[in-house]
Amino acid sequence: NAGVTQTPKFRVLKTGQSMTLLCAQDMNHEYMYWYRQDPGMGLRLIHYSVGEGTTAKGEVPDGYNVSRLKKQNFLLGLESAAPSQTSVYFCASSYSKARVAEAFFGQGTRLTVV
Amino acid sequence: GDSVTQMEGPVTLSEEACLTINCTYTATGYPSLFWYVQYPGEGLQLLLKATKADDKGSNKGFEATYRKETTSFHLEKGSVQVSDSAVYFCALKANDMRFGAGTRLTVKP
């Protein structure tokens, strides 16, 4: 009964370092999303995927890259971390792009860039 | 573009008090509307949703009605409990999902 699982849960990076956040879902969902959550700003969409092998940009894609090589996994990469990327990152999945389909969220990754 | 505006709070209530968290939206199409709840240290969980005008979503004593004429989806509960303390997010989905800034609710015994 895992749902959406994110790893790691916490990470501290130095400016300029790189890292990859992993999201895995076991619900056979086609759609997967990466959001960042910042105080007073709610959740903002970074990138999303409508199926295996596809990715697309969201509201705030700069500084991030993503890959969806397998249907169940969606990776978010930071090539050269900046303090402005300090945030809580959430992965979500959905069975459909239809407006009635809700999103299921992971527990989040708290990233601090110093 | 599509957007959601919600009461930012924080909101502090005593147990058994009435709750209203305001949410209004702007959308070009006919979105579905959602309330999500985030408990401390956890991800967002769907609380309730409504998919067309005049629909009422309800769950765990919470209710919200999709009001197209006022473009609103206010969250209400008649008697809050300490366990309701969390951050509440209003969201809409037309082409993609957009979230409000979140409202932190603290309920004191």
Side-chain angles (χ1 to χ4, degrees), chain A residues 16 18 23-25 27 35-36 38 40 45 51-52 67 90 99:
Chain A
S18 63
C23 176
Q25 54 94 4
M27 295 175 283
Y35 291 89
R36 59 178 289 173
D38 300 295
L45 183 64
E52 182 178 321
S67 64
F90 285 100
R99 63 181 186 85

Side-chain angles (χ1 to χ4, degrees), chain B residues 11-33:
Chain B
V11 175
T12 302
L13 296 173
S14 297
E15 205 165 23
E16 299 184 0
C18 296
L19 169 72
T20 299
I21 301 177
N22 291 334
C23 172
T24 58
Y25 68 91
T26 301
T28 52
Y30 299 93
S32 291
L33 301 173

Side-chain angles (χ1 to χ4, degrees), chain B residues 35-57:
Chain B
W35 277 101
Y36 281 85
V37 58
Q38 183 181 28
Y39 297 105
E42 298 184 10
L44 281 70
Q45 304 173 24
L46 180 66
L47 181 59
L48 54 83
K49 71 178 185 181
T51 59
K52 61 183 186 295
D54 299 324
D55 265 4
K56 178 185 283 187

Side-chain angles (χ1 to χ4, degrees), chain A:
Chain A
N1 201 21
V4 179
T5 304
Q6 292 181 232
T7 53
K9 289 186 170 45
F10 303 94
R11 185 73 185 269
V12 178
L13 284 180
K14 294 183 179 178
T15 297
Q17 285 185 320
S18 63
M19 79 163 293
T20 300
L21 283 66
L22 171 63
C23 176
Q25 54 94 4
D26 62 2
M27 295 175 283
N28 201 35
H29 286 172
E30 290 290 340
Y31 295 83
M32 297 187 74
Y33 311 86
W34 276 107
Y35 291 89
R36 59 178 289 173
Q37 182 185 26
D38 300 295
M41 302 187 74
L43 277 73
R44 292 180 292 168
L45 183 64
I46 305 171
H47 285 281
Y48 64 98
S49 169
V50 302
E52 182 178 321
T54 73
T55 63
K57 294 180 180 180
E59 297 174 75
V60 289
D62 295 342
Y64 305 95
N65 57 76
V66 288
S67 64
R68 182 103 180 263
L69 298 180
K70 294 183 178 180
K71 186 177 183 179
Q72 63 267 33
N73 295 336
F74 194 29
L75 279 63
L76 178 71
L78 286 73
E79 289 188 348
S80 179
S84 60
Q85 295 177 304
T86 294
S87 188
V88 181
Y89 292 85
F90 285 100
C91 178
S93 71
S94 179
Y95 60 87
S96 169
K97 193 176 189 287
R99 63 181 186 85
V100 301
E102 68 264 31
F104 295 81
F105 284 83
Q107 290 196 325
T109 296
R110 184 174 296 275
L111 175 66
T112 303
V113 182
V114 297

